[in-house]
């Protein structure tokens, strides 16, 4: 800053300043032109005088003093002045406003840097409201965070006590998905062809064509028990339960070539009911809840069961060939058959609502959200139907071979300045090795992925990941939003039979050579791999 002063101002200033300093004792004569440092310096009087000067006079005095300083003194002044010029604007604001400002930051790495600025900023970032909002933005599930404390014997996972700790754990879990986690290999206890798989945080249940159901501990890979009783290959199974602290028991249902449906207590291995009635192999089944079950058979019928009471409720007839697939949403049941038709039923009454005709070949996959139904066929295309009217809404082309996999996925969608909404997409996998992602409302193809060199045997998708396995022996992890390959989950196998994942684990069942390092063919073995991404 440049200060312009008049000669009169300088004269008054010099007179005032000089008169404020008392006379010092006379100094001995010196030969230097500079005045020596006085033995006594009246600092208090100088400060008092400085305070009584006008702003212009103070600035002039400071300018004159700085002009007399060398580099070392100027550096000292800089170090002294710079910290005093910094203003902690968050500290000066009311806490509610400071937290509102921080709530607009959604990058975890940025928040981590902010926490290191000062103790006050670090304290602000410990407020749970910031992390609760981030958990919602990142669509992190928090079902039991504020539930009543669980006993030590509870099967539910132990969750952190704050949203901050929860977000940190889940964010690290997602990072481990992308770079790889711990892998446990289970190469004993499984024999024959694996036909079905389901897992949760406690159990892995595998159905085999050797009449057996194998149950493993998800955390350790240790075999818990083998369920015996089926007299033919097990082709379908499903269990529900374990997610309610007031009702922790899991109920498992299984069916297959022996035509019987068996109901088990998965916690104890107890056989609860044997449901007889089908005349041929039960090819597919679906549980609505722990009470209602639907089975589809090669005898052309579907049956609705009360598995709590162990009794038959309805027999649904109408299909002219084997029933290959079915799905349930609320009170709507849909089924697909080798007779080229799909049917929509009322689950409560067993009433036929619509017959969906239009495919020219067998239907291999079906899915519904209660408003629309999608069917995939051997003839390479997908048809979408209205549940309400039964009319065909769209025919989706793109696959060049059988469409054996269909899934509906809800994902969070955010636009600048708008609240987060959820958008539904449909994922299809075919024997052509390709994956396609479709908009469920407009039926536009959003992603076209050449995923495998052979047919896709299994696929699962949620709003974060898409995992696919194929007859080429590879398991791949994809970003479902842009279709990019993230990484290959494991070393190539001979064949991938089944896969399933949840938030922190991926379970793969594959066929591998007995000795992968040997040049000679010594046969194959079934291997279960547990990929754990929980930090």
């Amino acid at each position: 800053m440049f200060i312009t002063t008049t000669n009169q101002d300088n004269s008054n200033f010099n007179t005032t300043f000089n008169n404020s300093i008392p006379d010092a004792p006379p100094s001995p004569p010196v030969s230097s032109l500079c005045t020596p440092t006085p033995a006594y310096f009246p600092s208090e009087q100088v400060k008092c005088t400085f305070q009584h000067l006008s702003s212009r006079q103070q600035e002039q005095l400071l300018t004159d003093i700085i002009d007399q300083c060398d580099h070392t003194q100027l550096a000292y002044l800089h170090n002294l002045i710079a910290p005093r010029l910094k203003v902690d604007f968050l500290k000066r604001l009311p806490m509610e406003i400071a937290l509102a400002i921080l709530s607009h930051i959604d990058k975890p790495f940025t928040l981590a840097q902010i926490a290191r600025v000062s103790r006050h900023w670090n304290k602000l970032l410990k407020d749970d409201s910031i992390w609760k909002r981030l958990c919602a933005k990142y669509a992190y599930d928090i079902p039991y965070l504020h539930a009543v404390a669980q006993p030590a014997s509870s099967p539910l996972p132990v969750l952190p006590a704050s949203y901050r700790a929860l977000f940190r754990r889940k964010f690290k879990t997602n990072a481990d998905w992308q770079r790889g986690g711990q892998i446990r290999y289970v190469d004993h206890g499984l024999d024959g062809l694996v036909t079905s798989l389901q897992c949760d945080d406690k159990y892995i249940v595998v159905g085999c064509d050797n009449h057996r159901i194998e149950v493993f501990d998800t955390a350790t890979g240790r075999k818990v028990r083998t369920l015996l009783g089926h007299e033919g290959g097990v082709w379908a199974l499903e269990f529900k339960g374990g997610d309610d602290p007031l009702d922790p028991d899991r109920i498992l249902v299984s069916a297959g070539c022996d035509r019987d449906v068996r109901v088990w207590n998965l916690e104890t291995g107890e056989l609860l009911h044997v449901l007889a009635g089908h005349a041929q192999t039960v090819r597919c089944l679906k549980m609505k809840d722990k009470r209602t079950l639907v089975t589809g058979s090669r005898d052309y019928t579907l049956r609705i069961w009360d598995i709590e009471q162990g009794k038959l409720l309805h027999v649904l007839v109408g299909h002219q060939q084997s029933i290959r697939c079915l799905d349930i949403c609320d009170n709507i049941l849909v089924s697909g058959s080798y007779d080229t038709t799909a049917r929509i039923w009322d689950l409560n009454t067993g009433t036929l609502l619509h017959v969906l005709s239009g495919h020219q070949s067998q239907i291999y996959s079906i899915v519904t959200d209660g408003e629309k139904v999608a069917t995939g066929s051997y003839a390479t295309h997908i048809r979408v139907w209205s549940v309400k009217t039964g009319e065909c809404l769209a025919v989706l082309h793109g696959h060049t071979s059988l469409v054996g996999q269909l899934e509906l996925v809800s994902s969070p969608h955010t636009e600048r300045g708008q609240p987060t909404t959820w958008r539904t997409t449909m994922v299809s996998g075919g024997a052509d090795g390709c994956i396609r992602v479709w908009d469920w409302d407009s039926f536009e193809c959003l992603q076209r992925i050449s995923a495998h060199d052979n047919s896709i045997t299994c696929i699962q998708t949620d709003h974060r990941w898409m995992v696919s396995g194929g007859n080429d022996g590879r398991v791949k992890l994809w970003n479902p939003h842009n279709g990019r390959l993230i990484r290959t989950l494991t070393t190539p196998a001979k064949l991938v039979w089944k896969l399933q994942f949840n938030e922190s684990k991926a379970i793969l069942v594959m066929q591998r050579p007995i000795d992968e390092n040997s040049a000679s063919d010594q046969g194959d073995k079934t291997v279960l791999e547990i990929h754990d991404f929980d930090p």
Side-chain angles (χ1 to χ4, degrees):
M1 175 181 290
F2 295 93
I3 306 297
T4 304
T5 61
T6 63
N7 291 333
Q8 183 65 38
D9 288 336
N10 289 336
S11 175
N12 293 339
F13 167 73
N14 291 333
T15 301
T16 302
F17 183 72
N18 290 333
N19 290 339
S20 67
I21 303 177
D23 294 334
S27 304
V30 293
S31 59
S32 171
L33 296 177
C34 298
T35 303
T37 303
Y40 166 75
F41 181 75
S43 60
E44 294 298 326
Q45 293 184 27
V46 172
K47 287 189 287 186
C48 181
T49 301
F50 181 82
Q51 292 171 356
H52 288 84
L53 297 178
S54 67
S55 296
R56 178 177 291 182
Q57 290 172 335
Q58 289 176 340
E59 292 170 354
Q60 179 62 44
L61 174 59
L62 291 174
T63 301
D64 291 342
I65 293 175
I66 290 174
D67 286 343
Q68 301 301 314
C69 295
D70 58 21
H71 182 273
T72 302
Q73 293 163 336
L74 290 174
Y76 170 77
L77 286 174
H78 177 269
N79 293 333
L80 186 67
I81 294 171
R84 303 188 184 194
L85 294 177
K86 295 179 179 178
V87 176
D88 188 344
F89 71 98
L90 289 181
K91 195 170 186 178
R92 294 189 176 188
L93 293 172
M95 179 171 287
E96 293 79 6
I97 298 178
L99 292 175
I101 293 172
L102 292 176
S103 71
H104 291 279
I105 302 172
D106 55 14
K107 301 297 183 184
F109 292 111
T110 303
L111 291 173
Q113 291 176 325
I114 290 174
R116 292 195 288 266
V117 170
S118 69
R119 291 180 180 177
H120 180 70
W121 288 28
N122 185 281
K123 181 180 179 180
L124 285 174
L125 284 177
K126 291 181 179 178
D127 189 281
D128 240 17
S129 64
I130 295 174
W131 303 100
K132 181 179 181 180
R133 186 192 62 84
L134 274 182
C135 285
K137 181 176 180 61
Y138 281 74
Y140 290 159
D141 188 23
I142 46 176
Y144 292 107
L145 185 57
H146 295 300
V148 178
Q150 304 298 322
S153 59
S154 171
L156 297 175
V158 178
L159 294 180
S162 70
Y163 286 103
R164 181 172 178 264
L166 179 69
F167 181 88
R168 183 176 182 181
R169 178 179 132 186
K170 290 181 178 290
F171 188 81
K172 287 183 176 181
T173 298
N174 284 357
D176 285 345
W177 265 94
Q178 298 182 63
R179 62 176 174 242
Q182 298 180 348
I183 305 176
R184 293 184 178 88
Y185 298 90
V186 181
D187 57 2
H188 58 278
L190 283 172
D191 298 306
L193 171 68
V194 173
T195 61
S196 44
L197 168 71
Q198 187 180 344
C199 70
D200 65 5
D201 285 329
K202 188 174 183 180
Y203 295 120
I204 301 169
V205 184
V206 181
C208 305
D209 70 343
N210 62 1
H211 313 180
R212 301 159 70 96
I213 300 172
E214 307 291 356
V215 183
F216 297 89
D217 185 291
T218 304
T220 64
R222 179 182 59 85
K223 181 183 284 191
V224 176
R225 64 179 60 90
T226 299
L227 303 181
L228 301 174
H230 280 290
E231 297 177 357
V234 178
W235 280 96
L237 61 78
E238 185 178 5
F239 68 83
K240 286 190 177 294
D243 51 1
D244 185 346
L246 301 178
D247 184 19
D249 286 348
R250 293 162 173 81
I251 298 299
L252 168 70
V253 293
S254 59
C257 295
D258 62 1
R259 301 167 292 179
D260 289 336
V261 180
R262 292 177 179 261
V263 183
W264 315 79
N265 183 326
L266 188 54
E267 307 294 337
T268 64
E270 177 188 2
L271 178 63
L272 302 178
H273 304 289
V274 178
L275 310 178
H278 280 295
Q280 292 191 38
T281 297
V282 178
R283 191 62 185 83
C284 51
L285 59 81
K286 194 80 174 179
M287 297 175 71
K288 178 184 178 182
D289 47 40
K290 291 173 67 173
R291 180 166 186 171
T292 305
L293 167 71
V294 181
T295 54
S297 170
R298 288 178 178 165
D299 64 7
Y300 310 170
T301 69
L302 296 105
R303 291 176 181 252
I304 303 176
W305 311 84
D306 181 336
I307 55 177
E308 193 174 70
Q309 301 295 325
K311 64 180 182 180
L312 178 66
L313 299 178
H314 305 288
V315 179
L316 311 185
V317 297
H319 281 294
Q320 302 302 307
Q321 290 190 36
S322 173
I323 296 168
R324 181 62 173 78
C325 50
L326 59 86
D327 195 19
I328 296 173
C329 183
D330 297 327
N331 190 43
I332 296 298
L333 165 66
V334 294
S335 57
S337 170
Y338 285 165
D339 65 6
T340 75
T341 70
R343 294 175 183 247
I344 303 176
W345 315 79
D346 184 299
L347 182 59
N348 288 339
T349 64
T351 304
L352 176 64
L353 302 178
H354 300 290
V355 178
L356 311 179
S357 300
H359 284 290
Q360 302 301 314
S361 58
Q362 302 97 318
I363 294 176
Y364 276 83
S365 53
I366 194 167
V367 68
T368 184
D369 65 349
E371 296 182 358
K372 296 190 287 288
V373 182
T375 52
S377 77
Y378 186 82
T380 76
H381 59 269
I382 302 167
R383 287 180 176 264
V384 183
W385 317 78
S386 167
V387 169
K388 184 176 182 179
T389 65
E391 66 176 322
C392 183
L393 302 176
V395 180
L396 311 182
H397 297 278
H399 286 286
T400 59
S401 188
L402 178 154
V403 181
Q405 313 287 334
L406 288 176
E407 276 196 346
L408 293 179
V409 183
S410 294
S411 303
H413 180 68
T414 304
E415 294 184 3
R416 185 178 297 275
Q418 300 296 323
T420 299
T421 58
W422 287 79
R423 183 176 69 176
T424 300
T425 56
M426 180 175 68
V427 178
S428 60
D432 56 3
C434 293
I435 298 172
R436 277 170 165 69
V437 181
W438 313 81
D439 187 288
W440 188 234
D441 294 321
S442 67
F443 311 125
E444 175 190 1
C445 186
L446 305 176
Q447 306 291 340
R448 300 171 178 84
I449 307 171
S450 297
H452 295 272
D453 295 334
N454 210 321
S455 62
I456 294 175
T457 57
C458 42
I459 188 170
Q460 185 182 341
T461 311
D462 65 8
H463 61 276
R464 295 185 186 88
W465 319 113
M466 179 163 60
V467 183
S468 63
N471 271 331
D472 59 1
R474 286 169 168 78
V475 180
K476 297 182 179 181
L477 176 66
W478 309 87
N479 183 325
H481 306 292
N482 57 31
R484 294 179 181 175
L485 176 66
I486 298 175
R487 67 185 183 94
T488 300
L489 278 185
T490 187
T491 57
K494 190 170 182 179
L495 177 67
V496 181
W497 275 324
K498 294 290 179 181
L499 65 82
Q500 192 173 48
F501 69 84
N502 56 24
E503 186 178 38
S504 62
K505 291 179 176 61
I507 311 300
L508 316 177
V509 183
M510 298 170 292
Q511 185 181 42
R512 291 187 179 276
I514 291 177
D515 187 353
E516 296 185 87
N517 298 320
S518 174
S520 61
D521 185 4
Q522 301 183 21
D524 301 319
K525 61 182 177 181
T526 301
V527 178
L528 175 70
E529 290 186 5
I530 305 172
H531 294 246
D532 190 349
F533 307 108
D534 207 354

